[in-house]
Amino acid sequence: MVPLQAYLTLAAFIFSCGLYGALARRNAIAMLMAVELMLNAVNINLVAFWRYGPNRDDLAGQTFAIFVIAVAAAEVAVGLALIIAIYRSRKTVYLDEIDLLQG
């Protein structure tokens, strides 16, 4: 049986990679992918704590994970729609080149 610390270490590593990607990238699509990595790390934590928790009869961890997946899907849909709209008007997806307040 895999110990809880292994899941938490994996989730911390994935979250750290996502955080680095969100802070270091200039490309909007790469930032969306980094946010998805962070949400997947949260899902790993939720399911791991549910699995090793005292009451495994209720499906609270899995239910929260499904809600996080639904929120992530909505975030991707809205984020990609915004990126496509910005790309059509500005011809770039690099966040430091987007200046929407200037004509």
Side-chain angles (χ1 to χ4, degrees):
M1 189 160 146
V2 180
L4 177 63
Q5 290 80 15
Y7 290 114
L8 297 180
T9 304
L10 174 67
F13 176 73
I14 292 174
F15 190 86
S16 299
C17 290
L19 185 64
Y20 173 75
L23 295 176
R25 302 287 178 208
R26 297 182 333 162
N27 191 334
I29 295 173
M31 288 185 70
L32 277 177
M33 292 189 324
V35 170
E36 291 298 319
L37 273 177
M38 290 190 288
L39 289 173
N40 284 330
V42 170
N43 279 340
I44 290 172
N45 279 335
L46 287 171
V47 174
F49 282 126
W50 166 79
R51 172 68 175 90
Y52 289 94
N55 189 6
R56 289 189 299 187
D57 293 335
D58 64 348
L59 299 175
Q62 292 177 347
T63 305
F64 283 133
I66 289 173
F67 282 131
V68 170
I69 291 170
V71 168
E75 177 254 337
V76 166
V78 171
L80 283 177
L82 288 171
I83 291 170
I84 289 171
I86 290 171
Y87 180 76
R88 286 182 180 171
S89 67
R90 301 292 178 176
K91 302 296 186 223
T92 186
V93 292
Y94 290 104
L95 296 176
D96 57 347
E97 296 175 7
I98 297 171
D99 50 354
L100 293 178
L101 294 178
Q102 295 178 358

